[in-house]
Amino acid sequence: MAKRKRTANQIVIDRYLKEGRGQGRGSEYQPWLLIQDVASQGLASRIKGWKTNRVHHLHSNFELNYFYLLDWSSIVCDIREQYPLLPLEETLAIAEQSGIPHPKDPKTQEPLVMVADFCITVRQNIGVTEQIRTLRSAKDLQSERTIQKLEIERQYWHSREINWGIVTENEIPETFARNVHWLHPFLNLEDLSPLSESDIRRIATALTLGVAEGKESLAKIAANCDDKLGLEPGMGLSVARHLIANRQWVVDMNQPIKPSQPLVLLANPLVQSQGLWSVG
């Protein structure tokens, strides 16, 4: 019996699966769609995750801001973006049974593999669970076609008993996301190269003394630290960002972190143990 000719779409699906896309966890996961595969809705980003230690492919500022919230969260263990709804035959069947047109490639009119924006592994009292979050603008939720596609997603994840939900821009605390954005490049010790761990302890002590007084701006305290310790300009502020990123300095992340102003700490690190200065 002659083999059925594979469609162009099936060839792409087979290639993606062979490449390992949509598979793995943590640092081994590969998103189904890379930023070079599709036109982005806004500024596309490639950013190395704190939790996964891999590069994440984020297709819009909306996705980037939500990613920052996930990467900061203490209960999120893993973040997998652009997670595919496979096999394709299953979403096709849901669409047919629901009387909903399945998403298609606008050029070839072949059915596309649907993707969830984020598959999130969350640590809870009952253990580790998976959650799916789809990002849509509040305006898009007024579209009948958007609702139809979301219904396919809802049924797909419901059949797997996986928590599925929609996130709009109204649920993204912008100040919180901006703060994480500012801190994000400075979590790890290697991000502060060529400083050593002992250098960071020394700088952290000097910075904390200044910040605890609450009289001068963070930028001025950091600049004074650079001068007194013979550091390259900006190193003191980088260490300050490192301390907040590692929660060694505890601040209200819902308030803007402005280097031009004094930094308010929610806990005084001077009265905590020496172990405070271990670095991530």
Side-chain angles (χ1 to χ4, degrees):
M1 181 176 179
K3 292 184 179 180
R4 181 168 57 90
K5 183 179 180 181
R6 291 194 302 163
T7 64
N9 187 50
Q10 188 60 51
I11 291 173
V12 171
I13 292 173
D14 291 345
R15 175 165 62 85
Y16 282 6
L17 290 172
K18 187 175 181 180
E19 292 173 359
R21 297 206 198 185
Q23 302 165 58
R25 290 179 177 270
S27 62
E28 301 301 318
Y29 176 75
Q30 295 187 54
W32 186 257
L33 296 175
L34 309 181
I35 58 174
Q36 61 265 33
D37 295 327
V38 295
S40 64
Q41 299 299 313
L43 181 64
S45 305
R46 296 174 75 253
I47 183 169
K48 189 173 183 179
W50 286 352
K51 299 180 184 298
T52 64
N53 199 35
R54 69 169 176 84
V55 173
H56 290 258
H57 289 247
L58 306 165
H59 296 255
S60 67
N61 287 332
F62 190 0
E63 289 185 11
L64 177 63
N65 286 338
Y66 189 62
F67 169 79
Y68 282 140
L69 303 185
L70 298 177
D71 220 17
W72 179 268
S73 172
S74 59
I75 66 171
V76 173
C77 309
D78 193 11
I79 306 168
R80 286 171 283 173
E81 74 279 14
Q82 298 297 312
Y83 194 82
L85 281 63
L86 291 171
L88 175 59
E89 290 73 20
E90 188 168 340
T91 55
L92 284 169
I94 293 172
E96 182 177 0
Q97 293 165 7
S98 304
I100 297 173
H102 193 281
K104 296 179 180 179
D105 185 309
K107 294 181 179 178
T108 66
Q109 293 300 301
E110 293 181 20
L112 291 171
V113 172
M114 300 179 68
V115 295
D117 293 309
F118 290 97
C119 177
I120 309 160
T121 306
V122 179
R123 188 185 302 107
Q124 298 180 322
N125 292 335
I126 60 174
V128 173
T129 63
E130 307 290 353
Q131 297 183 4
I132 299 295
R133 291 296 178 264
T134 291
L135 277 55
R136 292 293 183 275
S137 71
K139 182 179 179 181
D140 284 345
L141 293 180
Q142 305 302 313
S143 163
E144 180 181 357
R145 180 56 181 150
T146 295
I147 297 300
Q148 288 178 340
K149 290 187 285 188
L150 291 174
E151 177 60 16
I152 298 174
E153 288 190 42
R154 187 195 68 79
Q155 291 190 41
Y156 177 93
W157 296 113
H158 178 74
S159 70
R160 285 164 169 72
E161 298 184 342
I162 293 179
N163 182 296
W164 173 86
I166 302 169
V167 178
T168 73
E169 71 276 13
N170 298 327
E171 298 167 272
I172 304 292
E174 292 186 11
T175 296
F176 201 122
R178 283 197 299 269
N179 285 341
V180 180
H181 170 77
W182 188 65
L183 302 172
H184 209 270
F186 295 96
L187 178 76
N188 299 309
L189 179 63
E190 55 265 29
D191 299 327
L192 297 173
S193 179
L195 297 179
S196 66
E197 185 172 347
S198 61
D199 291 331
I200 293 173
R201 289 198 187 98
R202 182 167 55 97
I203 298 166
T205 299
L207 288 172
T208 303
L209 289 170
V211 170
E213 290 181 359
K215 297 179 180 179
E216 296 181 326
S217 71
L218 177 60
K220 186 173 182 179
I221 293 169
N224 289 340
C225 185
D226 291 340
D227 291 339
K228 291 179 181 179
L229 300 180
L231 305 172
E232 291 290 330
M235 292 305 298
L237 189 58
S238 295
V239 171
R241 293 160 78 175
H242 172 80
L243 296 173
I244 301 172
N246 281 277
R247 308 185 202 216
Q248 295 170 1
W249 281 358
V250 181
V251 304
D252 184 351
M253 292 292 287
N254 290 303
Q255 298 299 318
I257 301 174
K258 296 182 178 180
S260 60
Q261 298 179 2
L263 181 69
V264 178
L265 301 181
L266 300 182
N268 188 346
L270 294 175
V271 299
Q272 298 183 32
S273 68
Q274 185 68 20
L276 170 74
W277 307 121
S278 62
V279 296

